[in-house]
Amino acid sequence: MRSYLLLCLALLLPLSAQGGIMQHKAYHTGEPVPNKPMIMREFVEMQHARKVAKVTFADLQGNPKTLAEYQGRLVLLNLWASWCPPCLREMPALAKLRSKLQGSSIQIVPLSIDEDPAAVAPFLAKHELKLDDSWIDSKKEIEKIMPANVVPATYVFDPNGNLVGFIRGYLDWDDPDIADYLLRFAAKYQTLAQSKAKQ
């Protein structure tokens, strides 16, 4: 419990210093999704969904990309960098999970925070990582939403682009219980999004 509180404090202090990025509550998220796998104990499902700044990233060809492209889907935005050994450990398992969830309402988006965009594609090729749809954030636009001082990190956005959860640090995405949990998580937020649309 103490480590959880320290994590929240460490997370919120930089946000306060940046003008209250996460201060705009969108809605109360209700009861947490039950039976969270032990491997995801550090994953935080937020009590209130938060509206976030609209930021633009780029794909490997330099084309602009935004979270709005995945409107209607639960998005897991996974921050990584070529200089981050835990990211390299995490990425193959994350790629497998993406294949397993293909056709679902979940979109996993890798986001490189490397300062040199030209280094990203060669790094992916060198390590045979099939992540050609990775986005790049060389200017750290993500910091308008969340601090980028920990990688890997994964931020979860509801079908309307509100931030609803996060895990900062390495996660073994190979764990067999994760896919089921994420599907239940997505179902909850699809239902919430539909109910908000009717209001």
Side-chain angles (χ1 to χ4, degrees):
M1 184 65 174
R2 184 168 181 254
S3 62
Y4 170 78
L5 292 173
L6 289 173
L7 171 65
C8 290
L9 183 60
L11 182 64
L12 293 174
L13 284 176
L15 293 172
S16 300
Q18 294 175 32
I21 295 171
M22 288 178 32
Q23 297 310 308
H24 305 290
K25 295 177 182 176
Y27 59 87
H28 190 275
T29 59
E31 291 297 315
V33 174
N35 303 318
K36 180 167 66 173
M38 183 57 86
I39 193 78
M40 294 189 72
R41 62 190 172 279
E42 301 296 329
F43 174 73
V44 176
E45 180 179 1
M46 299 165 67
Q47 290 186 345
H48 289 88
R50 304 287 178 152
K51 293 180 182 178
V52 298
K54 292 180 181 175
V55 295
T56 303
F57 308 115
D59 64 15
L60 295 181
Q61 291 73 44
N63 302 309
K65 293 286 178 180
T66 69
L67 291 172
E69 293 184 29
Y70 297 115
Q71 184 85 11
R73 304 183 77 180
L74 187 82
V75 176
L76 277 68
L77 190 68
N78 177 257
L79 270 64
W80 68 275
S82 61
W83 42 262
C84 163
C87 297
L88 187 56
R89 282 176 48 217
E90 187 179 73
M91 290 165 77
L94 199 58
K96 279 193 271 183
L97 180 63
R98 288 197 325 158
S99 295
K100 187 184 284 190
L101 294 173
Q102 196 165 11
S104 74
S105 60
I106 300 171
Q107 182 67 41
I108 298 175
V109 181
L111 178 69
S112 164
I113 59 167
D114 282 276
E115 292 181 4
D116 180 8
V120 176
F123 174 84
L124 294 172
K126 175 184 175 183
H127 295 284
E128 299 180 350
L129 295 166
K130 297 181 174 23
L131 297 171
D132 294 338
D133 58 348
S134 185
W135 292 356
I136 301 173
D137 184 19
S138 57
K139 296 179 181 175
K140 303 260 188 350
E141 290 292 302
I142 191 66
E143 293 200 332
K144 294 177 181 174
I145 298 174
M146 292 285 276
N149 59 343
V150 173
V151 287
T154 302
Y155 301 126
V156 183
F157 300 86
D158 74 7
N160 293 318
N162 300 302
L163 184 67
V164 293
F166 61 89
I167 184 164
R168 288 163 46 94
Y170 171 82
L171 179 64
D172 180 6
W173 296 98
D174 269 330
D175 187 280
D177 295 328
I178 289 178
D180 174 67
Y181 175 76
L182 290 177
L183 288 168
R184 289 186 287 112
F185 197 94
K188 170 184 173 176
Y189 285 94
Q190 288 285 349
T191 301
L192 282 173
Q194 290 165 4
S195 68
K196 298 296 172 197
K198 291 175 183 174
Q199 291 177 358

